Amino acid sequence: MDVMGDKATLFESGRFVQPSGRGDAVEAAEEAAEELRQRLAAEAGDVEAMSVLGAMLLRRGDLDGAEPQLRAATAAGDRAAANNLGVLLHQRGYPEEAAGWWRIAAVAGSAAAAHALGRHHRERGDEPAAEYWLRQSAEQGHALGAYALADLLEHRGDAGAEGWLRAAAERGHREAAYRLARSLDRRSAPEGPLGREFPTRGGRATGTGGSGTAGAPRPADEAEQWYRQAAARGHQRAALHLGAILEKRGELKEAGRWYLTSARHGDARAACALGFLLRDAGDSESAAVWWLRAAQEGDGNAANALGALHAERGQAQTAERWYRAAMDAGDDNGAYNLGLLCAEQGRTAQAEQWYRRAAYAGHREAANALAILLLQHGDATGAEPWFSKAAEAGSVDAAFNLGILFAGRGEEGSALRWYERAAVAGHTEAALQVGIARLRAGDDADAERYLRCAAGGGNAEAAYRLATVLDARRPPESAHELGEVVHAKTECEEWYERAATQGHRRSQVRVGMMAAARGDVVEAARWYREAAEAGSRNGAFNLGLLLAREGSEPEAAVWWTRAADAGHGRAALRLALVYARRGELAEGQRWASRAVALGPAEVGERAGRLRDALREELSA
């Protein structure tokens, strides 16, 4: 039993000489002088000197020299000597005799001996006796006793364990501080894997969260304090967790320092996390060095990161080697990433093989990718169960894909259920589909809610549809006292503009119409032109109208021609009128006939009358 790590435990007399910090030779000379002084005093019958001398020899490993000194001091009633004699006998392989001396010292009030005796009983399975002596030690303020008692109580599931962990941590016990931090961390948020997953050559997930009551520190905040204390005392895992907390909070420089501290002491996860931090800072070369160190220590996440790095550089063979290393380390992302690599190279059979391997191991994104691959090959029956498995495991993309699959079969109810599930998880395209379904059902209020989610997530089509819902309920423009229309930008206009800036053509036309309505011809022309150049026939038609009003009928005709060629009936009618006015009757008749064919009905009726008139004119 090793109870010699704490000098205050071993040398209860308090007269242990601390290292001076000077050179080794000076320290050795001072220690030798102190030992000589204590030896002379012991030979003169000084009991305390016998105890201290025995402790010094025990610490040095001179058991033969220490034992007579400790026995003599113990016989004279020195409790520290009794405790250290127990340590010596335990090291010699006489645990029962050691326990006898620890009991004597513990009864005499030695907290260190009570701790040692408690551990002795626990090793022998006598938990009631262990708890009694450890509690005696802990209640006297002994850090090791408090920690050992907390460990015993935690093993039983006793709620009192945390209090003793806290007591040990407050007395400087670093493992207690770390375990207390972990307990608080788990309380603040469901625990997930520390570090980053690397499912798609760039995934990452770190950090902790939490909540608390007013006036008391949140568990997450208190956890950070204890991680910091343990890390400052050299605890590698505490340094790793502290780095993750700081990184999530954006304090990257300090996070990097703690990762580096832990990584230098051999923690592979810290080396991996440090690699990601360096990669994000633009230093891929240094990141690769730390990933390599972590991967060589068996960290699958780091091996995946190295594979991704080489894949990005076009070094497919090296990437494949590291992905295989990740698999050998037990990381299913390795198989998934191998599937991605093979799919990119067109090796679909091998991609399917690796996707299946990862999917059978429970990798949800691999199951989704496998289903997509099967669907692309026309195997919808084989794809459905993999989509379902991935979706049930939490894959939002798989839930959306199931919606598409059922919609394609005409099973709208099933499709909507999966779209709703994906939408609740934040899938913007799924939220759009639910919003559209609600619009069709006439539930504008619920439709608006889903469309807002999708539009807020950056979906241009959702922003457009949300704008149309808001536009439909917009009250008439208020008028100024003198009868002038007062235009104030409404929420629907803001959504139209957001969609328009994302390249949504119908929104661009709508924004152009609103600009034209308030007399801003330049802004209207800009949006119409942008929509027209992107292929919008309505944009081209409206731009033609604007140009014609400004007196640029030849240019207007160019845009109307583009719109009519795209199937815009009104543009074709306008062209027929332009050519009729120019006297180009045959061309006018051709465009009038085209307008009749394109419609709509009222346009076709007007175009038919114009066509007949032009025909009569030509035959006259």
Side-chain angles (χ1 to χ4, degrees):
M1 180 175 293
D2 182 14
V3 293
M4 297 174 60
D6 190 322
K7 293 168 186 170
T9 298
L10 185 57
F11 304 112
E12 291 186 341
S13 66
R15 294 208 295 270
F16 178 74
V17 179
Q18 296 289 344
S20 64
R22 288 172 281 181
D24 292 342
V26 175
E27 287 184 9
E30 289 181 349
E31 288 176 6
E34 175 64 14
E35 182 180 331
L36 178 60
R37 188 177 70 80
Q38 297 292 347
R39 189 178 295 278
L40 291 172
E43 290 172 355
D46 187 323
V47 174
E48 192 171 277
M50 295 175 194
S51 179
V52 172
L53 177 60
M56 293 177 74
L57 295 170
L58 176 59
R59 188 174 187 84
R60 198 166 66 208
D62 184 359
L63 304 187
D64 292 334
E67 185 169 352
Q69 300 294 338
L70 293 174
R71 284 189 181 277
T74 299
D78 189 295
R79 71 178 188 184
N83 174 50
N84 288 332
L85 180 58
V87 173
L88 184 147
L89 291 168
H90 189 274
Q91 289 186 13
R92 284 192 182 278
Y94 302 112
E96 297 305 325
E97 188 179 353
W101 290 112
W102 282 329
R103 183 180 299 276
I104 290 170
V107 170
S110 170
H115 163 245
L117 187 58
R119 288 185 60 186
H120 169 80
H121 284 298
R122 188 176 183 191
E123 287 172 359
R124 275 148 185 75
D126 187 352
E127 290 197 0
E131 181 180 352
Y132 174 81
W133 289 111
L134 290 175
R135 195 174 292 277
Q136 292 292 318
S137 175
E139 288 175 350
Q140 293 179 65
H142 193 273
L144 293 175
Y147 175 72
L149 177 59
D151 187 67
L152 177 63
L153 295 175
E154 189 175 72
H155 174 70
R156 293 181 187 169
D158 192 313
E162 185 175 308
W164 288 111
L165 270 182
R166 189 179 298 276
E170 287 170 350
R171 290 173 174 82
H173 195 292
R174 70 179 189 182
E175 184 65 25
Y178 171 72
R179 286 178 63 174
L180 177 59
R182 294 299 297 137
S183 175
L184 293 165
D185 220 351
R186 285 189 288 269
R187 188 185 309 163
S188 68
E191 186 176 8
L194 187 144
R196 299 89 179 285
E197 295 178 344
F198 207 85
T200 56
R201 303 183 188 150
R204 50 189 299 171
T206 63
T208 60
S211 61
T213 57
R218 297 186 310 159
D221 295 335
E222 193 179 0
E224 180 182 344
Q225 295 170 11
W226 291 114
Y227 279 137
R228 192 176 292 278
Q229 178 171 310
R233 293 177 176 272
H235 198 291
Q236 296 172 30
R237 285 169 295 167
L240 172 64
H241 284 275
L242 179 58
I245 290 171
L246 293 166
E247 182 184 359
K248 183 178 181 182
R249 203 161 61 214
E251 299 176 26
L252 303 184
K253 190 173 182 180
E254 189 180 358
R257 284 200 299 270
W258 287 113
Y259 283 149
L260 181 60
T261 297
S262 184
R264 280 177 172 168
H265 286 86
D267 192 292
R269 291 181 300 170
C272 181
L274 181 58
F276 279 109
L277 211 59
L278 290 164
R279 190 278 309 271
D280 294 346
D283 189 356
S284 296
E285 295 305 320
S286 296
V289 170
W290 287 105
W291 282 334
L292 178 61
R293 181 180 296 193
Q296 288 172 337
E297 291 296 321
D299 190 286
N301 200 19
N304 269 313
L306 280 172
L309 187 64
H310 288 291
E312 288 166 4
R313 295 172 177 174
Q315 300 165 344
Q317 287 186 337
T318 307
E320 184 169 338
R321 180 166 62 85
W322 283 114
Y323 289 148
R324 288 180 182 274
M327 283 195 302
D328 293 340
D331 192 323
D332 298 327
N333 285 326
Y336 174 56
N337 285 334
L338 269 173
L340 291 176
L341 188 66
C342 292
E344 289 171 2
Q345 296 172 338
R347 297 154 55 195
T348 54
Q350 291 92 332
E352 181 179 339
Q353 170 194 342
W354 294 119
Y355 287 151
R356 281 189 186 278
R357 176 166 175 171
Y360 277 122
H363 195 293
R364 66 189 188 190
E365 298 308 328
N368 181 54
L370 174 60
I372 291 171
L373 197 63
L374 292 170
L375 198 59
Q376 288 171 344
H377 293 163
D379 186 3
T381 303
E384 184 180 339
W386 286 112
F387 277 139
S388 295
K389 185 174 182 179
E392 294 295 348
S395 172
V396 180
D397 288 337
F400 176 67
N401 289 335
L402 268 176
I404 294 174
L405 190 67
F406 283 116
R409 295 175 182 169
E411 299 176 35
E412 298 298 335
S414 297
L416 186 57
R417 283 195 297 273
W418 285 109
Y419 284 147
E420 286 175 344
R421 184 163 176 173
V424 168
H427 197 291
T428 57
E429 184 65 26
L432 169 63
Q433 295 302 322
V434 177
I436 292 171
R438 294 286 188 271
L439 285 175
R440 288 173 183 160
D443 187 351
D444 286 2
D446 208 26
E448 181 183 340
R449 181 165 63 87
Y450 280 100
L451 291 173
R452 282 189 184 277
C453 290
N459 188 290
E461 179 66 21
Y464 169 74
R465 288 180 179 269
L466 173 60
T468 60
V469 170
L470 298 172
D471 206 359
R473 70 168 76 125
R474 186 171 56 158
E477 294 279 5
S478 59
H480 190 269
E481 290 180 354
L482 298 178
E484 298 173 355
V485 174
V486 179
H487 182 86
K489 187 175 289 187
T490 61
E491 187 187 4
C492 78
E493 288 180 77
E494 291 174 356
W495 285 112
Y496 278 135
E497 287 182 4
R498 183 179 296 192
T501 55
Q502 292 177 259
H504 192 278
R505 293 182 299 180
R506 284 175 293 173
S507 294
Q508 290 169 341
V509 173
R510 194 77 182 105
V511 173
M513 292 170 65
M514 289 177 170
R518 63 175 178 263
D520 191 345
V521 177
V522 174
E523 184 72 0
R526 181 174 74 85
W527 284 113
Y528 288 152
R529 189 178 299 275
E530 195 163 330
E533 288 176 347
S536 169
R537 62 187 186 184
N538 285 331
F541 175 70
N542 286 358
L543 180 57
L545 289 178
L546 202 65
L547 290 168
R549 288 172 191 158
E550 295 297 309
S552 302
E553 190 174 83
E555 189 180 355
V558 172
W559 289 107
W560 284 333
T561 301
R562 181 180 293 194
D565 286 341
H568 199 288
R570 286 187 174 85
L573 178 57
R574 289 277 175 172
L575 284 170
L577 292 168
V578 168
Y579 285 111
R581 283 198 299 271
R582 291 178 184 175
E584 300 178 31
L585 304 184
E587 190 67 9
Q589 183 182 355
R590 185 174 73 83
W591 281 113
S593 297
R594 183 76 185 278
V596 170
L598 293 173
E602 69 273 14
V603 170
E605 185 179 344
R606 289 179 58 197
R609 290 198 299 268
L610 177 60
R611 179 194 58 193
D612 295 342
L614 291 173
R615 184 181 297 137
E616 289 178 8
E617 188 88 14
L618 283 167
S619 60

